[in-house]
């Protein structure tokens, strides 16, 4: 009997072991009921972190937003082209120069296409480049501080749209004009556009160590609309491709008049050839006026300088450097697959995608099989360069990205869907609806030689009923699809900020370990910094009053200031003395005609206040910095303009 | 005895680690400090576990009225301890060398160990006394004055050894690399003592045997 009991126990134990083995196997396979749950795929548990960073452009917000994938959680809004009262960007004395242009201070732009720096065609996570579409500018954001470090204005450009894409070693960030304009600008009849306007494609060199931008040359192309672009990669490295529309060169009712040609072009630019030409002294310097704004991380200060000259290149002067590839129906996205072999034209007014072959293009150029020319630029024969056509059955292809398994994913704006198709065979593998009218999509690394093809994010133009209604104006919706399997699976839907036109993503481990936690106070070279509270002081220079102030939990030094007069211009230079992660201090004062400041540990920022009334006026810390945050305040006594009260300042007296 | 003397020298040399590695480590973790703050106590001063930790610990401590953590020049211990340890290392190595040359016997090894142990205990006592003072002798104008359930003022003495919960912080205080090296070295000196002792016994036995043999031959 005893023996028998033992054997039953043994059997039970065995059964348990077997059962648990089965359980594990079930979980490991992708067919398990649990693993197919969309909720589980996007669920990033409290305290856990996302697998990817996603940088979504803000469109008309002018800024860049940072999200996590797959959770769709927003981490930060990085101000680039728009003033941002949250941090004081564009309001503080240090950052106002960042928004300087040849048109003066421009506090807003339309930010479209983020692109992460690359080395050998792979994401390297040093910087992310973005374009301002309206007042043509390129911005560079540092990916260890997640702050805008540089903005360069693009002269002779308008509607800076086929931008800010980078070559595969970040040699250049490229900015192409969507709207052709007279170059140089002049007073002329609009209807003389045809043949007279120019489309400037600007190649901006990126200094490898610090990322400093410098316009190397501007290629002055025929007056078409240069819509989007991408670099060649791998074998096609050294080339850049731009989609064009309005090859009709219409200047009015463009929606009809620029849509008449059956085919527009993809412009193929051999930039290495032009670089050689320029390095050999080629090109013409013309007068220009454009701002170059640089923010220095150690002085915490931006400076703006005006450049007065730009080197232009006439494409007909560099034989063999520029060709046109006929491409149907006003193509939008211009995308190059990870191998660099296929150049995809997303003909937005058609049902089909046109894929050109880089090898065929080279062969056709070699054999000089041209089909005429446009303004002296050879046009290749459509049939000679065509690699294939994707007959998708969708309508309005806009943009394509790639996974690492030879598949491409294209958004179809009109038919509101993402279509997965195979490179080489051009067959459609899958299609999934989007909600609604998808613009661009993003796969982390999906426009590089090394895509991380796990998720695709589709960014939509229309939201309608996806979320709780918020009146007529709503944020745009985005959807995340799992693309690790043969079929795409919609796993999440989240609202974005502004209007994302494009995005860039990368694995979290590329950026997270090097993300800065503080600025070092002992490296702070700000002109008005106080690196120890003993240096805190107030100085008068005519009617300018400079307050050198420091902050630490939880007081300002000094916090009582007297001797300020009506009519003074008071500069509060606030240095945050914390050297602890995530302990910013804020600053604001009553009646300030500008925004607050949010000062990171070790940083100095300056706010100007022009007191208009006699009285005793409080200032306070706007960031809940500690249990004594409410106590973090001070007073400025403002006396009549003619009073003779001396400046004085104190803390704890 | 030669083997024992070499071991003695090696054991004593382990104490050199105290000049490089911390003796003690106190870590303070809290919900808002998922990466805890920490201080390493060296024989010549208190240092950051991670950069800016001391500054941030002082920043937090000011709420409850604790003094700032002492700079090396503010405590006599931090200039005396290195001299004491250095002196003991010189002494220990000297004893080992003399043992090697047969000038002193194994009893000196345990002698050194005992002096070192007494000094160690005194050191710990002093360290604890400092922590008591630091944790209870608070600024009467402290921002936050907290009381224990029985109404007595709360004190913030970190534990000498082990873990304690202090307000929102989990404080863990443990010996660090330097202390472990010292411990290992001192254990080696005890082993040296025992090896020396048994070697002596063996030699005595050998001498006795030889003496008996000589006597027998005389006959």
């Amino acid at each position: 009997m005893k023996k028998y009991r033992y054997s039953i126990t043994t059997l039970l134990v065995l059964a348990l072991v077997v059962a648990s083995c089965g359980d594990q196997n079930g979980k490991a396979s992708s067919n398990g009921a649990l693993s197919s749950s969309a909720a589980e795929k996007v669920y990033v548990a409290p305290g856990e972190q996302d697998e990817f960073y996603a940088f979504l452009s803000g469109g008309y917000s002018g800024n860049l937003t940072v999200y996590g994938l797959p959770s769709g959680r927003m981490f930060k809004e990085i101000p680039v082209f728009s003033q941002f009262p949250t941090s004081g960007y564009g309001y503080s004395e240090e950052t106002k120069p960042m928004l300087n242009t040849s048109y003066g201070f421009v506090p807003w732009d339309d930010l479209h296409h983020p692109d992460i720096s690359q080395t050998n065609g792979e994401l390297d996570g040093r910087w992310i480049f973005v374009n301002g579409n309206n007042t043509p500018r390129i911005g560079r954001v540092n990916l260890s501080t997640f702050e805008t470090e540089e903005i360069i204005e693009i002269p002779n450009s308008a509607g800076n749209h086929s931008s800010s894409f980078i070559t595969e070693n970040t040699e250049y960030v490229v900015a192409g004009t969507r709207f052709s304009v007279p170059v140089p600008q002049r007073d002329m009849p609009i209807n003389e556009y045809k043949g007279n306007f120019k489309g400037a494609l600007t190649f901006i060199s990126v200094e490898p160590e610090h990322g400093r931008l410098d316009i190397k040359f501007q290629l002055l192309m025929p007056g078409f609309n240069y819509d989007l672009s991408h670099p060649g990669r791998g074998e096609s490295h050294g080339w850049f491709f731009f989609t064009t529309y309005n090859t009709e060169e219409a200047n009015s009712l463009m929606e009809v008049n620029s849509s008449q040609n059956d085919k527009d072009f993809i412009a193929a630019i051999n930039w290495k050839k032009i670089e050689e030409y320029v390095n050999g002294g080629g090109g013409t310097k013309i007068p220009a006026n454009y701002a170059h704004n640089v923010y220095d991380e150690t002085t915490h200060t931006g400076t703006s300088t005006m450049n007065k000259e730009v080197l232009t290149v006439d494409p007909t002067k560099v034989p063999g450097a520029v060709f046109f590839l006929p491409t149907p129906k006003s193509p939008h996205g211009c995308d190059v697959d990870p191998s660099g072999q296929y150049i995809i034209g997303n003909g937005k007014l058609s049902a089909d995608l046109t894929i050109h072959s880089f090898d065929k293009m080279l062969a056709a150029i070699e054999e000089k099989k041209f089909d005429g020319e446009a303004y002296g630029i050879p046009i290749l024969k459509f049939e000679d360069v065509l690699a294939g056509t994707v007959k998708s059955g969708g309508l309005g292809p806009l943009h394509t990205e790639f996974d690492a398994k030879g598949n491409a994913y294209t958004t179809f704006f009109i038919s509101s869907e993402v279509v997965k198709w195979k490179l080489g065979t051009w067959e459609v593998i899958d299609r999934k609806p989007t909600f609604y009218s998808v613009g661009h999509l993003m796969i982390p690394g999906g426009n590089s030689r090394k895509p991380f093809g796990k998720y695709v994010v589709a960014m939509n133009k229309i939201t309608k009923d996806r979320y709780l209604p918020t009146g007529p104006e709503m944020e745009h919706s985005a959807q995340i699809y799992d693309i690790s399997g043969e079929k795409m699976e919609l796993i999440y839907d989240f609202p974005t900020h502004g209007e994302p036109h494009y995005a860039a993503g990368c694995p979290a481990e590329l950026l997270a370990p090097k993300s800065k936690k503080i600025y070092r106070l002992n490296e702070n070279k700000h002109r008005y910094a106080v690196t120890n509270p003993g240096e805190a002081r107030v100085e008068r220079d005519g009617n300018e009053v400079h307050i050198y102030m420091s902050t630490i939990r939880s007081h300002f030094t000094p916090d009582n200031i007297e001797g300020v007069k009506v009519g003074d211009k008071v500069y509060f230079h606030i240095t945050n003395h914390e050297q602890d992660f995530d302990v910013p201090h804020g600053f604001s004062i009553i009646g300030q005609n500008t925004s607050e400041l949010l000062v990171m540990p070790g940083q100095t920022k300056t706010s100007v206040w022009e007191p208009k009334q006699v009285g005793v006026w409080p200032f306070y810390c706007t960031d809940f910095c500690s249990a004594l945050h409410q106590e973090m305040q001070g007073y400025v006594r403002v006396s009549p303009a003619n009073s003779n009260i001396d400046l004085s300042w104190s803390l704890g007296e | 005895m030669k083997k024992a003397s070499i071991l003695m020298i090696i054991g004593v040399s382990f104490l050199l680690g105290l000049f490089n590695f911390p003796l003690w480590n106190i870590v303070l973790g809290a919900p808002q400090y998922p990466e805890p703050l920490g201080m390493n106590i060296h024989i010549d001063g208190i240092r950051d576990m991670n950069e800016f930790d001391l500054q941030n610990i002082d920043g937090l401590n000011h709420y409850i009225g604790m003094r700032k953590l002492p700079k090396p020049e503010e405590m006599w211990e931090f200039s005396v301890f290195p001299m004491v340890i250095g002196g003991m290392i010189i002494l220990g190595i000297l004893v080992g060398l003399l043992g090697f040359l047969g000038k002193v016997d194994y009893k000196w090894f345990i002698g050194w160990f005992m002096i070192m142990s007494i000094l160690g205990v005194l050191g710990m006592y002093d360290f604890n006394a400092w922590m008591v003072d630091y944790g209870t002798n608070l600024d009467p104008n402290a921002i936050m004055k907290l009381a224990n359930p029985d109404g007595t003022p709360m004190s913030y003495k970190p534990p000498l050894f082990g873990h304690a919960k202090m307000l929102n912080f989990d404080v863990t205080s443990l010996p660090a690399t330097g202390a472990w090296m010292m411990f290992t070295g001192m254990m080696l000196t005890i082993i040296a003592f025992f090896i020396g002792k048994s070697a002596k016994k063996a030699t005595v036995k050998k001498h006795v045997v030889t003496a008996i043999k000589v006597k027998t031959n005389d006959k």
Side-chain angles (χ1 to χ4, degrees):
Chain A
M1 189 63 207
K2 213 173 184 184
K3 249 187 188 171
Y4 174 69
R5 215 181 274 154
Y6 272 133
S7 50
I8 285 204
T9 318
T10 317
L11 271 175
L12 273 172
V13 168
L14 266 173
L16 276 171
V17 168
V18 169
S20 62
C21 279
D23 226 27
Q24 274 166 5
N25 289 342
K27 253 190 176 167
S29 88
S30 58
N31 303 325
L34 271 177
S35 63
S36 69
S37 143
E40 193 175 74
K41 281 182 178 170
V42 295
Y43 183 64
V44 178
E48 302 284 310
Q49 295 188 339
D50 280 283
E51 197 179 341
F52 293 95
Y53 279 100
F55 296 87
L56 275 61
S57 77
Y60 39 62
S61 84
N63 295 335
L64 184 68
T65 45
V66 190
Y67 287 80
L69 295 181
S71 74
R73 297 183 294 190
M74 179 175 151
F75 303 141
K76 187 180 183 178
E77 179 171 358
I78 303 173
V80 184
F81 298 117
S82 290
Q83 281 182 304
F84 196 59
T86 305
S87 65
Y89 180 87
Y91 293 95
S92 73
E93 293 304 295
E94 291 80 4
T95 52
K96 277 189 207 165
M98 297 306 287
L99 301 180
N100 188 41
T101 72
S102 61
Y103 309 90
F105 183 79
V106 177
W108 169 90
D109 215 310
D110 184 11
L111 186 151
H112 274 244
H113 310 127
D115 207 11
I116 298 170
S117 59
Q118 297 182 9
T119 303
N120 295 324
E122 296 179 14
L123 303 178
D124 62 30
R126 288 175 292 169
W127 309 294
I128 188 163
F129 298 91
V130 291
N131 60 318
N133 190 59
N134 181 54
T135 304
R137 288 176 276 182
I138 294 289
R140 179 175 57 84
V141 172
N142 179 322
L143 287 181
S144 66
T145 60
F146 291 69
E147 297 287 345
T148 303
E149 262 189 350
E150 194 168 1
I151 291 176
I152 192 164
E153 192 184 349
I154 316 294
N156 304 321
S157 181
N160 175 34
H161 196 272
S162 40
S163 322
S164 38
F165 300 103
I166 51 138
T167 55
E168 76 168 24
N169 286 303
T170 322
E171 294 97 336
Y172 292 99
V173 52
V174 173
T177 193
R178 190 169 99 202
F179 310 133
S180 284
V181 287
V183 175
Q185 272 292 4
R186 59 190 180 274
D187 179 19
M188 63 175 279
I190 298 171
N191 63 13
E192 288 174 20
Y193 173 149
K194 198 164 187 169
N196 288 314
F197 284 21
K198 292 272 180 263
L201 307 180
T202 307
F203 284 70
I204 304 155
S205 62
V206 182
E207 190 272 316
E209 200 184 338
H210 302 101
R212 288 281 184 277
L213 304 176
D214 187 26
I215 296 180
K216 178 87 170 175
F217 61 86
Q218 284 197 311
L219 192 62
L220 296 183
M221 296 285 285
F224 309 150
N225 292 31
Y226 296 85
D227 200 13
L228 276 164
S229 66
H230 261 106
R233 51 182 63 101
E235 55 179 318
S236 54
H237 177 54
W239 290 78
F240 223 96
F241 305 95
F242 295 80
T243 43
T244 69
Y245 65 100
N246 192 25
T247 49
E248 299 86 349
E249 296 182 77
N251 59 281
S252 185
L253 192 62
M254 309 268 287
E255 67 171 324
V256 175
N257 293 332
S258 70
S259 307
Q260 296 307 305
N261 285 358
D262 184 47
K263 291 190 181 68
D264 293 284
F265 299 126
I266 285 180
I269 315 282
N270 187 335
W271 59 262
K272 280 218 162 140
K273 209 158 212 168
I274 300 171
E275 185 186 53
E276 266 171 45
Y277 169 76
V278 164
N279 286 344
T284 313
K285 281 195 172 157
I286 64 167
N289 188 29
Y290 59 100
H292 184 197
N293 312 329
V294 178
Y295 182 84
D296 185 305
E297 197 182 308
T298 54
T299 62
H300 302 283
T301 302
T303 47
S304 179
T305 46
M306 298 306 295
N307 293 346
K308 299 293 182 189
E309 213 174 40
V310 69
L311 183 67
T312 58
V313 174
D314 174 349
T316 60
K317 298 277 170 61
V318 196
V322 183
F323 300 91
F324 285 135
L325 284 57
T327 306
K329 300 315 285 177
S330 302
H332 189 57
C334 184
D335 304 299
V336 180
D337 83 304
S339 74
Q341 174 58 229
Y342 298 119
I343 303 127
I344 289 121
N346 302 255
K348 66 175 184 276
L349 305 181
S350 73
D352 303 339
L353 286 162
T354 303
I355 296 98
H356 297 303
S357 153
F358 178 69
D359 285 345
K360 282 187 166 181
M361 181 192 90
L362 286 189
I365 292 169
E366 183 75 21
E367 292 161 31
K368 300 201 176 342
K369 286 160 92 176
F370 302 139
D371 189 12
E373 57 177 44
Y375 296 103
I377 293 167
I379 301 169
L380 297 169
K381 275 206 184 100
F382 179 66
E383 297 74 21
D384 290 343
V385 292
L386 185 72
T389 305
V390 176
K391 304 264 180 207
S392 72
L395 200 57
L398 282 193
H399 173 224
T400 302
E401 291 221 332
F402 308 90
D403 67 14
K405 294 184 280 192
N407 301 307
Y409 301 79
T410 303
T411 53
F412 283 74
F413 176 78
I414 302 173
S415 55
S416 268
E417 59 187 338
V418 176
V419 172
K420 176 182 178 180
W421 50 277
K422 194 145 200 71
L423 284 160
T425 68
W426 325 122
E427 63 183 319
V428 170
I429 297 167
D430 191 23
R431 61 194 326 131
K432 285 284 181 304
T434 64
F435 308 92
Y436 306 95
S437 294
V438 62
H440 284 242
L441 53 71
M442 184 274 283
I443 294 167
N447 69 347
S448 76
R449 278 165 78 168
K450 190 181 170 190
F452 300 86
K454 193 164 176 185
Y455 306 109
V456 61
V457 181
M459 288 159 276
N460 301 287
K461 302 298 184 190
I462 293 174
T463 308
K464 301 231 175 189
D465 63 349
R466 294 307 285 178
Y467 315 119
L468 291 174
T470 55
E473 188 184 329
M474 287 166 287
E475 296 285 26
H476 288 221
S477 68
Q479 278 97 40
I480 304 176
Y481 302 81
D482 179 347
I483 55 166
S484 55
E486 179 75 358
K487 298 286 179 189
M488 298 179 283
E489 188 191 351
L490 173 62
I491 53 175
Y492 200 56
D493 188 325
F494 67 105
T496 58
H497 189 52
E499 184 191 354
H501 288 270
Y502 198 88
C506 69
E509 68 258 22
L510 196 61
L511 305 183
K514 65 174 187 127
S515 176
K516 262 206 156 89
K517 292 183 168 167
I518 58 163
Y519 297 102
R520 299 177 64 98
L521 189 60
N522 62 8
E523 287 173 1
N524 183 329
K525 302 274 187 291
H526 190 288
R527 192 178 153 205
Y528 294 101
V530 279
T531 49
N532 111 48
E535 297 163 10
R537 63 193 182 275
V538 184
E539 288 175 358
R540 177 178 284 283
D541 177 16
N543 73 336
E544 280 188 5
V545 176
H546 291 271
I547 302 175
Y548 297 70
M549 188 178 268
S550 69
T551 60
I552 197 152
R553 281 165 287 179
S554 286
H555 56 271
F556 294 97
T557 310
D559 65 359
N560 279 203
I561 296 155
E562 302 200 350
V564 172
K565 297 171 201 171
V566 170
D568 281 347
K569 196 169 184 183
V570 183
Y571 291 81
F572 287 92
H573 306 287
I574 317 286
T575 304
N576 183 350
H577 279 199
E578 304 287 352
Q579 293 285 269
D580 199 356
F581 185 28
D582 200 16
V583 189
H585 289 295
F587 173 84
S588 70
I589 185 162
I590 194 167
Q592 198 178 12
N593 294 113
T594 176
S595 80
E596 66 134 0
L597 299 174
L598 192 64
V599 192
M600 294 302 124
Q603 196 176 38
T604 304
K605 285 186 181 177
T606 302
S607 187
V608 170
W609 180 57
E610 293 174 87
K612 293 171 185 72
Q613 292 177 56
V614 165
V616 177
W617 307 106
F619 57 87
Y620 74 100
C621 172
T622 50
D623 181 281
F624 204 109
C625 55
S626 79
L628 292 140
H629 158 71
Q630 295 299 80
E631 286 75 3
M632 192 162 174
Q633 62 168 80
Y635 288 104
V636 180
R637 174 180 171 186
V638 177
S639 306
N642 59 358
S643 78
N644 51 9
I645 293 171
D646 285 335
L647 279 181
S648 66
W649 58 93
S650 62
L651 167 75
E653 282 168 19
Chain B
M1 187 60 188
K2 285 196 173 169
K3 214 194 269 174
S5 302
I6 290 168
L7 198 59
M8 176 70 190
I9 292 168
I10 291 171
V12 170
S13 304
F14 265 79
L15 269 69
L16 286 168
L18 285 170
F19 287 92
N20 188 36
F21 299 106
L23 183 65
W24 224 261
N25 170 258
I26 301 178
V27 173
L28 301 98
Q32 61 273 58
Y33 283 92
E35 281 177 50
L37 299 170
M39 53 181 134
N40 285 329
I41 296 155
H42 290 251
I43 54 172
D44 60 351
I46 304 176
R47 301 184 201 166
D48 289 318
M49 186 171 80
N50 293 303
E51 199 178 14
F52 304 119
D53 276 0
L54 296 188
Q55 180 181 332
N56 292 328
I57 290 169
D58 279 338
L60 296 167
N61 285 349
H62 102 280
Y63 294 119
I64 48 174
M66 285 168 97
R67 280 163 292 159
K68 292 208 165 185
L69 291 165
K71 301 267 178 299
E73 60 275 13
E74 290 165 358
M75 273 177 70
W76 62 266
E77 284 90 341
F78 292 133
S79 48
V80 170
F81 280 10
M83 286 193 281
V84 171
I85 301 287
M88 284 306 290
I89 291 171
I90 293 167
L91 184 68
I93 289 175
L94 198 65
V95 166
L97 279 175
L98 291 174
F100 189 83
L101 299 171
K103 307 282 185 196
V104 301
D105 76 356
Y106 65 91
K107 285 175 188 155
W108 283 75
F109 298 173
I110 198 75
W112 181 91
F113 173 83
M114 280 155 73
I115 298 171
M116 192 60 222
S117 300
I118 290 163
L119 288 171
V121 170
L122 286 175
M124 296 280 279
Y125 177 82
D126 182 71
F127 178 43
N128 194 55
W130 167 73
M131 287 203 298
V132 169
D133 178 53
Y134 181 73
T136 53
N137 197 352
L138 305 171
D139 183 347
N141 295 321
I143 296 163
M144 295 166 81
K145 287 188 275 272
L146 299 171
N148 293 314
D150 63 3
T152 55
M154 199 177 271
S155 73
Y156 308 97
K157 179 200 165 293
L160 182 64
F161 190 97
H163 170 264
K165 181 91 186 160
M166 287 162 61
L167 302 181
N168 55 330
F169 278 91
D170 281 294
V171 185
T172 308
S173 170
L174 289 171
T177 314
W180 292 119
M181 286 183 76
M182 178 171 73
F183 177 75
T184 309
M186 287 174 69
M187 288 303 110
L188 289 178
T189 64
I190 296 189
I191 295 168
F193 162 75
F194 282 112
I195 292 174
K197 193 174 173 183
S198 59
K200 179 84 178 190
K201 260 187 193 160
T203 324
V204 171
K205 215 174 181 182
K206 211 164 128 194
H207 282 308
V208 171
V209 170
T210 318
I212 290 168
K213 268 190 184 163
V214 169
K215 250 189 182 167
T216 321
N217 288 347
D218 283 353
K219 269 190 180 172

